[in-house]
Amino acid sequence: MDDAIPVLSALAQPTRYRCVSHLVDRGECTAGELAQVLGVPANTMSSHLTILAHAGLVASQRHGRNIVYAACVEKIADVAGMLSALVPDPAGR
């Protein structure tokens, strides 16, 4: 459960949420591509990506001169599972 708190905190900021959503849909992007798509300055995007990486939501990999970011879907699925456990079973089971 303690693992979910940094993830939920990171996703509470709308730009970071949109960033993760875009990475889930697209697969991989550079910070510059993300900044352009989301309409934020590059240095702001870099800060958001750092927070998302510390929360375990994105991973980076160097491809030549570029750093490419991808969503960590396993972490997202883990937290989604923790959240679904909070929802009561309507059948009372």
Side-chain angles (χ1 to χ4, degrees):
M1 177 64 172
D2 290 339
D3 290 347
I5 293 170
V7 171
L8 296 173
S9 178
L11 290 175
Q13 203 285 340
T15 301
R16 291 194 291 265
Y17 178 87
R18 289 178 29 230
C19 177
V20 171
S21 179
H22 185 77
L23 289 171
V24 168
D25 290 343
R26 172 118 190 257
E28 295 182 337
C29 286
T30 65
E33 291 168 338
L34 286 165
Q36 184 176 10
V37 167
L38 300 177
V40 298
N43 62 332
T44 301
M45 189 74 256
S46 179
S47 296
H48 286 311
L49 287 166
T50 298
I51 292 167
L52 292 169
H54 286 311
L57 289 166
V58 299
S60 62
Q61 188 173 21
R62 184 168 287 283
H63 288 247
R65 295 177 59 198
N66 295 316
I67 297 176
V68 178
Y69 294 88
C72 296
V73 293
E74 300 85 16
K75 182 71 161 191
I76 296 165
D78 288 346
V79 172
M82 284 186 233
L83 289 174
S84 68
L86 297 173
V87 178
D89 184 354
R93 294 180 233 171

